[in-house]
């Protein structure tokens, strides 16, 4: 199991950041290598179920994401199913007139990705992906853009 966790300060209120990330198509806009989000279905808990394609080590990996926790303006938790398994937990906290967004991920990767890349490379890759995603969300709200 690989873990990655990081936090960013977003120059927008919690409600705006949560609303932005509550749309799965926006995840594709800010998550490097997430190529496609499709078949979005709203769940009774307010969350979503969707299919996705993620590119890793030159391969397109298809899977499903189910949002198991949907606490408006506080938290979203996603379960990854398919060849990539794990969880992604996003927490939203008011901070200095903006939002402190924390992204915590736990992943199990397909064996071939580990074999090809090696554990240290995969670990650094995951940490960079989390940081890049947080930076992309922050950029979306920089200077009142969203």
């Amino acid at each position: 199991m690989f873990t990655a966790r990081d936090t960013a300060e977003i120059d927008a209120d919690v409600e705006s950041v949560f609303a932005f990330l509550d749309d799965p198509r926006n995840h594709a806009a800010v998550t490097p290598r997430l190529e496609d989000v499709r078949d979005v279905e709203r769940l009774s808990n307010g969350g979503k179920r969707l299919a996705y394609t993620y590119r890793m080590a030159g391969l397109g990996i298809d899977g499903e994401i189910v949002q198991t926790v949907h606490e408006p303006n506080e938290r979203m938790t996603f379960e990854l199913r398919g060849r990539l398994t794990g969880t992604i937990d996003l927490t939203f906290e008011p901070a200095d007139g903006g939002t402190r967004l924390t992204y915590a991920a736990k992943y199990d990767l397909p064996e071939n990705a580990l074999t090809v890349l090696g554990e240290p490379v995969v670990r650094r890759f995951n940490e960079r992906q989390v940081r890049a995603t947080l930076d992309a969300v922050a950029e979306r709200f920089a200077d009142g853009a969203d």
Side-chain angles (χ1 to χ4, degrees), residues 29-41:
V30 297
T31 304
R33 301 181 187 261
L34 181 57
E35 292 186 337
D36 185 33
V37 170
R38 60 195 174 280
D39 304 329
V40 177
E41 169 191 346

Side-chain angles (χ1 to χ4, degrees), residues 31-67:
T31 304
R33 301 181 187 261
L34 181 57
E35 292 186 337
D36 185 33
V37 170
R38 60 195 174 280
D39 304 329
V40 177
E41 169 191 346
R42 184 166 293 280
L43 302 174
S44 61
N45 70 354
K48 319 305 179 291
R49 175 189 320 269
L50 58 102
Y52 71 91
T53 301
Y54 186 81
R55 184 150 302 274
M56 176 185 282
L59 303 171
I61 300 171
D62 292 322
E64 178 184 63
I65 294 176
V66 177
Q67 192 173 11

Side-chain angles (χ1 to χ4, degrees), residues 48-108:
K48 319 305 179 291
R49 175 189 320 269
L50 58 102
Y52 71 91
T53 301
Y54 186 81
R55 184 150 302 274
M56 176 185 282
L59 303 171
I61 300 171
D62 292 322
E64 178 184 63
I65 294 176
V66 177
Q67 192 173 11
T68 57
V69 175
H70 184 268
E71 298 172 0
N73 304 321
E74 293 180 19
R75 187 170 170 221
M76 297 177 182
T77 302
F78 305 90
E79 182 180 317
L80 285 75
R81 300 175 180 173
R83 291 185 60 213
L84 290 177
T85 60
T87 59
I88 297 171
D89 191 60
L90 303 177
T91 56
F92 304 77
E93 300 172 273
D96 299 322
T99 301
R100 178 175 297 113
L101 176 61
T102 300
Y103 185 122
K106 295 179 183 177
Y107 301 102
D108 279 324

